[in-house]
Amino acid sequence: MTNLDQQAFWTDSAGPTWVALQDEMDTLLTPVLTEVMARSALQPGERVLDVGCGTGQSVAQIADAIGPTGHVTGLDISKTMLRRAHDWLGFRPHVSLTMADAQTHGFAQPFDVILSRFGVMFFDNSRAAFANLWRALAPGGRMVLAAWGPAPQNPWFMEPAAAATEVLGPVPKVDRTLPGPFAFEDTARVMEMMHAAGLHAPKSETVSTILTPNGDLKAAAELCCHIGPADKALQFHNADADARVRVKEEIISRLSRFDGPHGVQVPAVINVYTAQRPA
């Protein structure tokens, strides 16, 4: 996918689904945002760029952390998701939302912090995107970017994918180095791109966390059938209602080992990439 393809996808296809499932996705990904916020160590008065801000949960938390003397710019390529973020956030004088491509957008003012929760794995030229974001970072500024870790260590993806294959049959294999959820799973590869883009002393950290979706196993399986590899398989095979039910049942079976007294808790691995510009 080119960046224009990504814009169309996140505006016309994935965007409406994420808007409809905003509460479910925000809950699911809360631990990831918590990791990003902790490592960003935001201070009152700072200027922050949120790359791939989506429907606005991260923007809201950033705005609270920096207070009215700071400013946060939520950036996304999806008009659909930004429209939802605008409606959901309401008017806040220290918040602005911008529809633009972070790989090429010319930022008028530098930022003290650039952060992202799963918004940077979709560039068609990641090196160029890193370089552009680095230029937008003020002296002494810092960058914190979260991406999915290795796919085999993320059962939230692997189990629904296996369930759909079991019921429907295989789908075409995907090159995970291409723009997509796991484009940054290989930390060595990403570090090479960050160095090539001119980032100063970039670092990577692989972090284990727990995803806790809303509701019970049935609700988790239903969410998997709307977003992720099971959804893609259902679309690829043009699955009917009966096949969808069987896929959902298989997902429930495969995720059941993560169900317990505290609900569904699925282990996950993310990569956090950081860099700091010299003062």
Side-chain angles (χ1 to χ4, degrees):
M1 278 185 161
T2 66
N3 287 3
L4 286 177
D5 293 331
Q6 291 285 352
Q7 182 176 0
F9 174 74
W10 288 104
T11 296
D12 302 325
S13 179
T17 302
W18 276 70
V19 167
L21 297 170
Q22 178 182 5
D23 290 344
E24 289 86 347
M25 294 306 298
D26 282 348
T27 298
L28 179 73
L29 300 180
T30 287
V32 181
L33 181 56
T34 298
E35 293 284 352
V36 172
M37 293 293 289
R39 285 163 173 73
S40 299
L42 299 178
Q43 301 298 314
E46 289 189 312
R47 297 183 60 86
V48 182
L49 175 65
D50 180 5
V51 180
C53 67
T55 53
Q57 183 196 32
S58 50
V59 174
Q61 291 198 22
I62 294 166
D64 290 341
I66 61 177
T69 60
H71 189 274
V72 52
T73 299
L75 188 81
D76 209 284
I77 59 172
S78 169
K79 182 186 298 184
T80 303
M81 298 179 81
L82 282 178
R83 185 184 300 118
R84 172 58 178 164
H86 180 273
D87 294 342
W88 185 69
L89 289 164
F91 174 72
R92 304 188 188 196
H94 62 308
V95 171
S96 60
L97 299 174
T98 301
M99 190 179 80
D101 181 351
Q103 180 178 314
T104 58
H105 184 66
F107 296 98
Q109 294 181 322
F111 299 94
D112 301 304
V113 185
I114 297 176
L115 57 77
S116 179
R117 180 200 68 180
F118 292 163
V120 293
M121 303 95 73
F122 305 96
F123 299 116
D124 59 18
N125 187 332
S126 296
R127 176 178 171 179
F130 282 138
N132 193 49
L133 292 172
W134 189 247
R135 287 191 292 270
L137 198 61
R142 55 202 184 277
M143 184 181 293
V144 181
L145 312 173
W148 288 109
Q153 298 179 44
N154 280 290
W156 181 256
F157 285 85
M158 300 304 288
E159 296 298 354
T165 299
E166 176 73 21
V167 174
L168 303 173
V171 298
K173 288 189 176 181
V174 176
D175 181 351
R176 294 204 303 265
T177 65
L178 296 176
F182 292 101
F184 284 7
E185 66 176 336
D186 183 344
T187 57
R189 176 175 171 271
V190 176
M191 293 297 288
E192 287 178 3
M193 291 190 293
M194 296 179 82
H195 280 292
L199 275 65
H200 177 75
K203 298 178 181 178
S204 67
E205 181 182 1
T206 299
V207 179
S208 296
T209 188
I210 299 291
L211 305 182
T212 307
N214 276 339
D216 57 12
L217 276 172
K218 291 182 179 179
E222 183 65 26
L223 181 59
C224 290
C225 288
H226 287 283
I227 294 177
D231 169 58
K232 290 182 173 61
L234 288 164
Q235 294 186 45
F236 176 79
H237 289 285
N238 195 26
D240 59 18
D242 177 67
R244 186 180 187 90
V245 169
R246 288 186 287 119
V247 169
K248 185 176 175 180
E249 290 174 346
E250 183 65 21
I251 295 174
I252 291 172
S253 175
R254 289 174 177 271
L255 292 182
S256 62
R257 73 181 191 275
F258 304 121
D259 194 19
H262 301 292
V264 182
Q265 296 188 318
V266 184
V269 173
I270 62 172
N271 294 329
V272 180
Y273 299 96
T274 58
Q276 183 159 358
R277 195 177 188 98

